[in-house]
Amino acid sequence: MSNNEVMLALGDFQFSIDTAQYQTLSTSHAWRWQKKDRVGKKPARQFHGPDASSKNLDIMIYPQSKADLLLLDKLKAIGDKGKPQRLVGGTPRGGADLGLWVIEKLDIAEQYFLTNGIGLEMKGTLMIAEWGEDEE
């Protein structure tokens, strides 16, 4: 087995232990309830269905090559395109298609710098959300 097994893929971007690994992955689910005001009573709620799920990934990169230094830039470029990306999660039997997702936000932090300004540790927080493709 390769040490570069894919943990998760967002479009062409692959998260793996040897490249951009995530330390934590949190998923949020929500449901939409419309508030209906009533005279003399507390408001009622009407169920409107599930809301889009979202995921937050805390990414850690210890650059070993120039390509590693550009990994977070690659994620930013995907977000700049403004197009939904296929999310595929790693499982023991292969990838699981999790549908189309969009990048909502990418925060980047670097620390422990070399004299030329290159960070020895790069951290990112990636926020993605379901695109909302119609079910068939």
Side-chain angles (χ1 to χ4, degrees):
M1 290 190 154
S2 166
N3 287 338
N4 198 22
E5 291 185 24
V6 176
M7 302 164 66
L8 188 74
L10 180 64
D12 292 334
F13 191 90
Q14 297 181 343
F15 295 91
S16 73
I17 297 297
D18 292 341
T19 58
Q21 61 178 296
Y22 51 86
Q23 301 295 307
T24 59
L25 168 64
S26 58
T27 303
S28 179
H29 305 286
W31 294 266
R32 295 174 294 128
W33 289 88
Q34 181 65 44
K35 180 179 169 184
K36 300 287 184 183
D37 289 326
R38 303 183 299 179
V39 176
K41 296 181 181 180
K42 292 182 180 180
R45 302 280 177 168
Q46 181 180 19
F47 184 64
H48 280 223
D51 207 345
S53 295
S54 62
K55 293 183 182 289
N56 288 343
L57 294 91
D58 291 322
I59 305 162
M60 183 72 69
I61 300 171
Y62 296 100
Q64 302 296 312
S65 68
K66 185 175 181 179
D68 291 346
L69 293 171
L70 301 175
L71 288 170
L72 292 175
D73 289 338
K74 184 177 178 183
L75 265 178
K76 182 184 177 301
I78 292 170
D80 287 344
K81 288 181 184 176
K83 296 190 181 217
Q85 302 293 311
R86 177 90 31 213
L87 184 65
V88 179
T91 67
R93 293 189 182 126
D97 184 352
L98 302 174
L100 293 173
W101 292 66
V102 296
I103 294 177
E104 291 190 326
K105 186 176 180 183
L106 175 63
D107 293 322
I108 299 172
E110 298 177 48
Q111 60 184 7
Y112 310 119
F113 296 93
L114 296 173
T115 56
N116 62 0
I118 294 175
L120 295 175
E121 182 178 272
M122 299 167 60
K123 296 179 182 180
T125 301
L126 178 67
M127 297 170 56
I128 61 175
E130 285 180 304
W131 179 56
E133 60 189 317
D134 291 335
E135 296 178 12
E136 297 190 25

